[in-house]
Amino acid sequence: WQDRLYFASDYFERLYELAELLVNKGLAYVDELSEEEIRAYRGTVTEAGKPSPCRDRPIAENLALLRKMRAGELPDGSAVLRAKIDMAAANMKMRDPLLYRIRHAEHYRRGDAWCIYPMYDFIHPLSDAIEGITHSLCTLEFENNRELYDWLLAAVDWPEPRPHQYEFARLNLNYTVMSKRKLLELVESGLVQGWDDPRMPTLSGLRRRGYTPEAIRNFCDRIGVAKAHSTVDVALLEHAVREDLNTKAPRVLCVLRPLKLVVENWPQHQVESFDAPFWPHDVPKEGSRPLPFSRELWIERDDFAEVPPKGWHRLAPGAEVRLRYAYVVRCTGVVKDERGEVVEVRCTYDPATQGGAAPAGRKVPGTLHWVSAAHAVDVEVRLYDRLFRDEQPDAAGDYRQGLNPDSLAVIAGAKAEPGLAAAEPGSRFQFERQGYFYLEPESSQGDGAGKPVFNRIVTLKDPWAKLSANVVAGDKVQAKVKHAAKLSERLVAGDKVEAEVEHAAERKAVDPLGGLSLVQRETVATLLSAGVGVESARALAAAPALQRLFDEAVAAGAPSRPAANWIANELQRELESAGVGAEAAPFDGGALAELLGLVDSGTVSATAAKTVLAELVRTGGSPSAILVERGLAQVSDEAALAGAVGRVLTRESANVAAYRGGRSGLLGWFVGQVMKETGGRANPQLVQRLVRERLDADAG
């Protein structure tokens, strides 16, 4: 924002001053333990850490060592600066975290001015504070970092109002991967053309493809922000851009795969111009352009079939079609090359149908787009599609196996109406019957052959339309397949031409259970019938060890849907974080059922239950025993919570005044502060009631 980019390295001097402040206050020390020793001293989730021998060295000595680190007098790895907090803290992040490390390396912005560098957890809150951030938004994996975030701001005496960290679930889209590591692999392996490849789910990629900022904002508004893990259908993003471009992109004509159409009864050199509107009737905009019509035209190769299938409404021998804005024409014959392929279609036009209107009582079912061959502009068209053919690329193992081989098709010989020769780079158009397209700014000087380059932003309709339902018959899942209607003529033998679907993506429906075996699909069907959501059902079906835990949990009394959600989301995340496979989990489904029962009864909050789950993953045991040992039982004692509410409201008098002045949104913030005051153990519904009652009563 403002007039520049912001970098943490802009604040290195200020951050170092704050590090010295912590040392002078006795809240930080220089530790000379090795990395392995620091890790060993930190303890485990069930055992407190032990203090470093360096923890109690005098302030003056710590300050001198820190300045030696800053001056480059100590080698890499010989010392670190650590916060002095609590080596027995339940939150491992609070066990004297590292603040600075030595690294004699040139910085890409600051050169060799520094040889010590601050750690992320030190940079984050202090940079936010320096920049005046109010809401620091992080994904859920940073939830445990929030306590350290708040501690550092208080430790350096940063004045109120201070920034606050808020966590939310990351955005997951189907038919793509959102992991930065995986996206980097795609870039570095050359599977895409870079971070701004129009198939990438990056802002630079979406921008280059032609997505508008308004469409992306509308998409974000619709999906909202939540704490729960979920996957958003990419079709919603595509719908947002269609909706936005419908009123912004003028309609023009472009033939992607041209086939010559000769109007035999049209005078050889005569050119007629039709006034073609840029906007359909449902868009309240005006504007038109002249569209030249001549004896030789280009039409789409897909719009002609010598042997048409049943229900064909386009051009065929003896058939009539309407040419958009022009005339009704009737096919009279074809011209073929030496291989027997149709290279030219012959027709006659009806002068009485000028403007494309058929006389009363005459039915002309099809309308084709076209361009005049003598006036057409040669353009290159890049048809971008989804990067992955699998709805969940990760489900089958190696996500790269699910890459869509048809995610980019380059058409070098497309023919566009003449007005597009003067189009401004960065313009967006709707190519009628084809989709929305974006004129690459880089193509303002052409593609090397002097041709403008148009990227397809999105099709007019979703060709990936998912099956709305799976038909379960007995133990079998039957998928209803919806074939695309787009057909093309293809030579089979001699003069016989068979109409068939041209593109695989248009030929077959996309199965939401793609990548799963028949047995796994049957498992999904069974889970769906038990009330489990489709995403959780797919995750369980793809991992037998998770499915076993689910079956055990349900057998022990856990409700199906919550059990599946916890296993597919929270448990998988904890297993991945701990580096433990589900088959090696040190507990069974009965322990999960016990934990869910504790949540359902209100004995433990959902937040505290995640802490219990993390310990289960690492050590096994009984959730109830962990709950007692860690003191995580939910507090529902009204008298005890009233004291915590009073302390928070007394401490936050300025925000209390703001709330009473009309900032009602602070209610949730007060609840969060009380939850923090009670270590996350308070019953949040009770806290909310007590906070509201106290604020309203005091105001009265």
Side-chain angles (χ1 to χ4, degrees), residues 174 230-231 391-392 466 528 532-540 568:
N174 58 5
S230 62
T231 299
E391 184 177 5
Q392 289 188 321
K466 294 190 302 183
L528 292 176
V532 175
V534 64
E535 296 295 338
S536 296
R538 182 182 176 114
L540 296 180

Side-chain angles (χ1 to χ4, degrees), residues 192-379:
V192 294
Q193 298 166 358
W195 287 101
D196 66 344
D197 187 303
R199 295 165 293 180
M200 290 280 277
T202 57
L203 286 177
S204 59
L206 294 174
R207 184 184 301 118
R208 187 177 164 201
R209 185 155 172 175
Y211 273 63
T212 60
E214 295 80 4
I216 296 172
R217 292 192 189 104
N218 289 340
F219 168 70
C220 293
D221 286 342
R222 286 175 177 176
I223 64 174
V225 179
K227 287 269 190 179
H229 288 284
S230 62
T231 299
V232 177
D233 194 333
V234 72
L236 184 59
L237 175 60
E238 293 167 346
H239 172 74
V241 75
R242 287 189 191 100
E243 189 176 56
D244 185 55
L245 292 178
N246 182 49
T247 58
K248 293 180 178 178
R251 277 56 167 173
V252 296
L253 303 183
C254 181
V255 175
L256 301 188
R257 299 174 177 86
L259 175 65
K260 183 162 287 189
L261 179 70
V262 178
V263 187
E264 294 178 315
N265 60 336
W266 186 268
Q268 184 70 37
H269 301 294
Q270 180 175 323
V271 177
E272 184 176 353
S273 183
F274 294 97
D275 187 51
F278 280 122
W279 306 100
H281 297 300
D282 60 341
V283 178
K285 288 187 177 183
E286 296 181 354
S288 62
R289 78 283 188 193
L291 204 60
F293 184 91
S294 61
R295 179 181 171 87
E296 293 187 352
L297 310 172
W298 294 116
I299 63 170
E300 288 289 347
R301 184 167 294 274
D302 294 344
D303 283 340
F304 175 78
E306 192 174 11
V307 181
K310 184 179 179 180
W312 182 256
H313 295 307
R314 283 169 268 178
L315 201 57
E320 284 189 327
V321 295
R322 182 184 296 104
L323 297 181
R324 182 77 157 151
Y325 308 121
Y327 294 98
V328 172
V329 298
R330 179 186 296 274
C331 177
T332 58
V334 298
V335 176
K336 300 180 181 181
D337 62 13
E338 62 278 3
R339 294 174 298 175
E341 292 185 5
V342 175
V343 294
E344 190 175 286
V345 177
R346 296 277 173 159
C347 71
T348 58
Y349 85 103
D350 183 349
T353 60
Q354 186 179 41
R362 184 169 160 191
K363 186 176 181 181
V364 181
T367 300
L368 308 185
H369 64 282
W370 54 274
V371 294
S372 169
H375 304 86
V377 177
D378 289 332
V379 298

Side-chain angles (χ1 to χ4, degrees), residues 5-83:
L5 295 176
Y6 286 70
F7 298 89
S9 53
D10 293 337
Y11 320 125
F12 276 0
E13 287 79 7
R14 179 68 174 130
L15 293 172
Y16 178 76
E17 291 172 5
L18 295 173
E20 286 206 355
L21 173 65
L22 291 175
V23 172
N24 280 314
K25 292 179 69 174
L27 296 177
Y29 63 96
V30 174
D31 196 352
E32 295 174 283
L33 291 178
S34 68
E35 183 178 348
E36 293 75 16
E37 289 171 327
I38 290 175
R39 187 180 297 111
Y41 274 55
R42 187 171 284 132
T44 68
V45 292
T46 57
E47 297 178 358
K50 59 182 180 179
S52 166
C54 307
R55 196 173 195 266
D56 295 322
R57 76 165 27 117
I59 289 175
E61 189 176 336
N62 279 317
L63 195 57
L65 282 170
L66 177 59
R67 289 173 178 171
K68 282 187 176 183
M69 291 170 58
R70 169 69 180 90
E73 297 176 16
L74 300 179
D76 288 5
S78 62
V80 293
L81 181 68
R82 298 178 68 177

Side-chain angles (χ1 to χ4, degrees), residues 420-454:
L420 289 184
E424 290 289 329
S427 300
R428 297 173 178 85
F429 299 93
Q430 184 194 107
F431 291 177
E432 293 198 34
R433 301 177 66 217
Q434 305 285 8
Y436 292 99
F437 289 79
Y438 175 68
L439 179 55
E440 275 258 27
E442 290 77 7
S443 73
S444 56
Q445 276 73 47
D447 65 343
K451 291 186 291 188
V453 176
F454 286 89

